[in-house]
Amino acid sequence: MLNGNRIFALARNTGQALAFANFEPKRRSFGPFFDYANSINFDGLKRLEELVLKMGPPKWPSEWPPIDSKLAKDGQKIFERQCSKGCHEKKEVRALRDLFVTTWVTPVQNVGTDTRQFDELGWRVKTGALKGAGIPLIARHLEEEDYAAHMMFSAVAGAILDNKLYLGSDVGSGDGFGSSLPPNAQKAPSTSLSLSPAPVKASIAPPSSAQPPNQPESLTIEPGTLLERTLNRGEYEARVLEGIWAAAPYLHNGSVPTLAELLVPPAKRTSQFKVGARYDTKNVALDVTQEGPTRPVTDCNDLNSGNSRCGHDYGTRLSDDEKKALLEYLKTL
């Protein structure tokens, strides 16, 4: 799957912004298309993306214990042998929004980690005002009750296309990600609020059951479109590892506190840890003894808890010296 492509970064950020913005989708008065009216500040999102791209991944702080370059080189050899090929390997391609710039593609596979995230994509929800929404060749039409993944995709893709094609209606500023500030960075004067009834919005609340019955083992996203793709239960995209030392906690559900702990067999990993700002430079990531909220996790007997520390046992059979070298290399990324 593409990893690092800016069209997907925009989609992710748009999805987050929709949680705070005014979103009033409605069928247009003519034609089969929807108006995905929203108050997202796309100019602001673009500026944020450009800033992050300019900043690049974080570097190991100079005031911390220095990286042992010789040990890191040994660790790089171990990484290339154990972790790179077919796992966190980056293949450069050209796609979508970045036709003139290379992006990365990384594999999607099942490494035995928690399955709950996939199950949540399989929730069926009432689509409300989005019933019938769809984009030819991109997003299929939504039914009255549909998979949450389809509804989320349709809302995000529609909001982006409305912005790019200047089709969306103005619904005023939203919270957090609403209309942009004026050039002098002063907040714009508030406008009077309409007293008209609030528009009917789509319902995205999950079902009352924590584990809905008859969960699918696979789910085809946007069938019959150019973006058709099948997701399988338990499969996740391998992330690229730039700045991995600063990305704790680890695994897709944040169930492992340090990179050193990730090299421990899953059954022996810690069952809880503290979350906070203190950093452990030896074990690389969270200081598990710091003051802060406790993060409980479950073992491999509860793989669908959303908090299971199970899976990704790569590197767990390395010697202590090999693990130390590998950790030193990961600090350099």
Side-chain angles (χ1 to χ4, degrees):
M1 179 178 176
L2 295 175
N3 191 330
N5 180 272
R6 283 182 286 167
I7 190 66
F8 294 118
L10 177 62
R12 177 201 62 216
N13 293 337
T14 299
Q16 292 175 332
L18 279 175
F20 298 93
N22 294 330
F23 183 43
E24 302 174 9
K26 55 184 177 293
R27 186 179 293 279
R28 296 185 185 277
S29 57
F30 62 91
F33 303 112
F34 259 65
D35 179 354
Y36 296 86
N38 65 84
S39 62
I40 295 175
N41 177 6
F42 280 98
D43 287 339
L45 290 184
K46 180 175 181 291
R47 289 163 60 192
L48 285 173
E49 288 183 28
E50 291 172 346
L51 178 60
V52 170
L53 191 63
K54 183 178 179 180
M55 290 171 58
K59 302 299 182 184
W60 186 260
S62 59
E63 61 269 25
W64 288 2
I67 296 173
D68 184 328
S69 57
K70 183 180 182 303
L71 189 61
K73 287 182 179 178
D74 293 339
Q76 182 177 5
K77 296 175 183 176
I78 296 170
F79 175 82
E80 292 172 350
R81 185 176 72 246
Q82 293 278 336
C83 313
S84 177
K85 303 300 181 183
C87 298
H88 296 283
E89 178 183 17
K90 295 188 307 183
K91 295 181 180 178
E92 294 192 346
V93 296
R94 299 182 188 276
L96 294 176
R97 184 177 166 193
D98 289 329
L99 291 178
F100 301 103
V101 180
T102 57
T103 187
W104 302 323
V105 59
T106 50
V108 176
Q109 54 188 314
N110 189 334
V111 295
T113 53
D114 193 283
T115 58
R116 178 56 180 248
Q117 191 173 98
F118 171 84
D119 287 350
E120 290 177 355
L121 292 175
W123 279 343
R124 293 187 68 84
V125 298
K126 299 291 186 181
T127 56
L130 280 171
K131 177 186 175 182
I135 305 171
L137 302 179
I138 295 177
R140 69 163 177 76
H141 292 284
L142 292 171
E143 301 173 2
E144 182 175 358
E145 184 178 283
D146 217 316
Y147 288 113
H150 290 305
M151 180 174 154
M152 177 177 64
F153 182 85
S154 182
V156 169
I160 291 174
L161 282 179
D162 272 14
N163 171 258
K164 295 300 182 184
L165 300 177
Y166 303 99
L167 296 175
S169 302
D170 183 9
V171 296
S173 62
D175 295 329
F177 294 89
S179 60
S180 57
L181 294 177
N184 62 1
Q186 298 298 312
K187 192 170 183 180
S190 60
T191 57
S192 58
L193 297 176
S194 170
L195 298 180
S196 58
V200 177
K201 296 187 178 182
S203 169
I204 57 174
S208 57
S209 171
Q211 174 62 25
N214 303 319
Q215 286 294 92
E217 288 298 310
S218 64
L219 180 62
T220 299
I221 301 296
E222 305 314 319
T225 72
L226 296 175
L227 301 180
E228 178 175 333
R229 178 174 169 226
T230 298
L231 307 178
N232 296 303
R233 194 166 189 260
E235 289 187 354
Y236 300 100
E237 178 185 4
R239 61 160 294 163
V240 293
L241 299 184
E242 272 76 358
I244 189 64
W245 61 269
Y250 300 104
L251 298 184
H252 70 273
N253 62 345
S255 59
V256 180
T258 67
L259 290 176
E261 190 75 6
L262 195 59
L263 297 177
V264 173
K268 296 182 179 180
R269 292 172 185 163
T270 184
S271 60
Q272 63 180 31
F273 54 89
K274 297 288 187 178
V275 177
R278 276 171 48 186
Y279 194 91
D280 183 342
T281 58
K282 178 181 178 181
N283 293 307
V284 191
L286 298 178
D287 183 338
V288 297
T289 65
Q290 65 188 305
E291 294 182 2
T294 299
R295 167 78 163 96
V297 296
T298 63
D299 59 21
C300 297
N301 293 319
D302 195 0
L303 195 58
N304 196 55
S305 68
N307 297 306
S308 175
R309 63 181 186 264
C310 196
H312 197 284
D313 61 355
Y314 305 106
T316 58
R317 297 176 181 84
L318 294 173
S319 68
D320 289 344
D321 287 343
E322 288 175 321
K323 290 180 181 180
K324 184 177 179 181
L326 180 58
L327 291 176
E328 202 70 6
Y329 170 67
L330 293 176
K331 295 176 184 178
T332 70
L333 299 179

